[in-house]
Amino acid sequence: LQKTGGLFSATKVWTPSTWHGESQMASSEELWGLNTFDLFQVHNLVNWEGHLETLRQRKAEGRVRYIGITTSHGMRHDEMAKVMREPDVDFIQLTYNAADREAEQRLLPMAADNGVAVIANRPFQRGALIDRVQRHPLPNWAADFGAENWSQVLLKFIISHPAITCAIPATSKVAHMTENMGALSGPLPDAKQRARRKLVGYGPPDPVHARRLYRHDRALQRRGLARTSCGFCHDLGHHCLRTARRPNECPDRFDNNSRVLDLGRLRLSY
């Protein structure tokens, strides 16, 4: 890379072999053209004991400023909590977004208490969360904290958490990057706004719900009908029993003046 001034260099090591990990680190230095990385992370906690030992040595040599660990898909939180008790872990990276909020229960408070920086990955669930919300118009309250599009709403929700250091939305499109960078401008949601405008997870249908759904479908089939919906609840793994409704009659449709938007397993209240 050229003209790296002002950039924060962060990369990962990801291999079960300690020896191969050293080779990966050397390769990263060569590819980046850097003698010192700002952050080197052990990805998905693979061989974290061996790689952290190597990274500690590199940190002592001045080749790494910070060392960290990562996980994704909302998995391995117990093991991450264990590694976070190591005294020299500077960063953690985990999945955190408006729908995946398990990290709020333990890992984010633990990071705040121990002075560990937090990188939030998958802020849009690899685009799935954006696809779901952008079917609806941007609510009026987004202007309260300077959000001009759904990506900025979702990113500002993440980075306004006091334990979050930054979010890393992956994109290959300049237009999307420009939208995302807009989350750096203007105010962030405060604690009261986060409490009013939050996404709360709901579980999948229980067996009783599933049996009711089956009976409804069989009754409709006998009448030559089929269950219809906008597809929103189905995408979320939730089955809607509101049969034969046109989209504009669906109780879940978005009303910019309403107080609640029911998204099946998600409820966006404001």
Side-chain angles (χ1 to χ4, degrees):
L1 292 176
Q2 298 179 352
K3 298 181 179 179
T4 57
L7 296 179
F8 186 90
S9 53
T11 190
K12 306 169 186 174
V13 56
W14 191 18
T15 175
S17 165
T18 301
W19 173 85
H20 189 221
E22 294 175 358
S23 176
Q24 283 188 358
M25 296 175 198
S27 178
S28 293
E29 289 176 340
E30 182 178 354
L31 290 171
W32 283 63
L34 295 175
N35 295 321
T36 301
F37 273 95
D38 291 309
L39 171 62
F40 226 115
Q41 304 159 98
V42 181
H43 188 43
N44 278 337
L45 298 169
V46 175
N47 187 21
W48 63 266
E49 299 97 331
H51 296 318
L52 280 184
E53 190 60 36
T54 303
L55 289 173
R56 290 185 182 106
Q57 181 178 348
R58 286 175 170 255
K59 186 175 182 180
E61 296 170 352
R63 299 165 73 180
V64 176
R65 291 179 61 201
Y66 305 112
I67 61 178
I69 54 175
T70 83
T71 186
S72 56
H73 308 285
M75 300 172 61
R76 306 185 71 177
H77 285 188
D78 288 342
E79 188 172 2
M80 174 165 274
K82 173 185 175 181
V83 183
M84 286 173 66
R85 296 185 179 95
E86 296 286 321
D88 50 0
V89 172
D90 304 304
F91 274 77
I92 62 170
Q93 182 185 140
L94 47 73
T95 297
Y96 179 66
N97 55 58
D100 299 312
R101 298 173 59 182
E102 181 184 347
E104 290 180 348
Q105 303 303 314
R106 177 174 48 161
L107 295 182
L108 294 185
M110 188 175 178
D113 290 343
N114 295 328
V116 176
V118 181
I119 300 173
N121 61 36
R122 298 175 181 264
F124 304 140
Q125 292 184 329
R126 303 189 73 175
L129 193 54
I130 285 284
D131 290 341
R132 292 166 185 169
V133 298
Q134 71 181 0
R135 304 175 188 181
H136 307 281
L138 194 69
N140 295 331
W141 47 257
D144 293 348
F145 45 86
E148 299 178 352
N149 49 60
W150 275 113
S151 64
Q152 292 175 14
V153 169
L154 297 173
L155 285 173
K156 288 195 172 202
F157 173 85
I158 295 169
I159 62 178
S160 63
H161 191 289
I164 294 292
T165 305
C166 67
I168 49 172
T171 181
S172 60
K173 298 182 179 180
V174 174
H176 291 171
M177 183 180 69
T178 302
E179 282 188 358
N180 296 340
M181 290 178 66
L184 298 172
S185 302
L188 294 175
D190 57 28
K192 290 183 178 180
Q193 289 172 325
R194 285 178 59 89
R196 289 199 308 267
R197 300 160 186 154
K198 63 183 179 180
L199 286 169
V200 181
Y202 281 78
D206 59 24
V208 174
H209 192 157
R211 287 195 295 271
R212 288 183 60 204
L213 175 67
Y214 175 78
R215 290 197 297 268
H216 271 266
D217 281 349
R218 289 296 299 272
L220 287 171
Q221 290 172 6
R222 288 193 293 269
R223 295 167 55 195
L225 300 175
R227 179 165 45 92
T228 62
S229 72
C230 64
F232 200 97
C233 293
H234 183 268
D235 288 348
L236 290 171
H238 183 85
H239 297 289
C240 179
L241 295 179
R242 300 182 180 93
T243 59
R245 297 278 190 125
R246 292 192 299 272
N248 63 349
E249 294 178 345
C250 176
D252 291 348
R253 69 186 177 88
F254 187 85
D255 181 347
N256 213 36
N257 296 316
S258 69
R259 300 300 298 175
V260 173
L261 170 61
D262 190 339
L263 308 184
R265 276 171 46 192
L266 304 178
R267 180 175 292 270
L268 175 60
S269 59
Y270 53 93

